[in-house]
Amino acid sequence: LYLGNEIQAASKATLVEHNIHYIVNAAANQVSNHFSDFEFEYLPLDLFDTTADDIKQYFTPTYEFIGTLGWT
């Protein structure tokens, strides 16, 4: 599991260097899936960095996305 920011997510070289193929985009309404046309698979989540966000609604979809990778 690699936790990064928008700058790292926008660097194909960084993603390839760290052998990243699956990306949870927790700011999909603000940041595009930079390489969705390539070999990366995205789970876009529409979160804002505010206390108003109910992040719990995304636990199950994120768990299921990670589970498809055989990590659960």
Side-chain angles (χ1 to χ4, degrees):
L1 181 61
Y2 180 92
L3 181 60
N5 60 26
E6 179 184 2
I7 294 168
Q8 294 156 337
S11 169
K12 187 173 182 183
T14 298
L15 299 174
V16 170
E17 175 185 345
H18 294 285
N19 200 30
I20 295 169
H21 299 280
Y22 302 92
I23 300 166
V24 176
N25 181 352
N29 51 1
Q30 303 166 57
V31 178
S32 65
N33 297 333
H34 295 284
F35 306 108
S36 58
D37 295 342
F38 296 96
E39 64 271 13
F40 303 103
E41 184 175 339
Y42 289 85
L43 173 63
L45 305 177
D46 293 329
L47 288 168
F48 291 94
D49 191 10
T50 70
T51 57
D53 274 337
D54 180 14
I55 193 170
K56 293 179 292 195
Q57 67 181 318
Y58 298 110
F59 288 175
T60 298
T62 302
Y63 178 80
E64 290 172 353
F65 180 73
I66 293 171
T68 64
L69 308 175
W71 295 352
T72 58

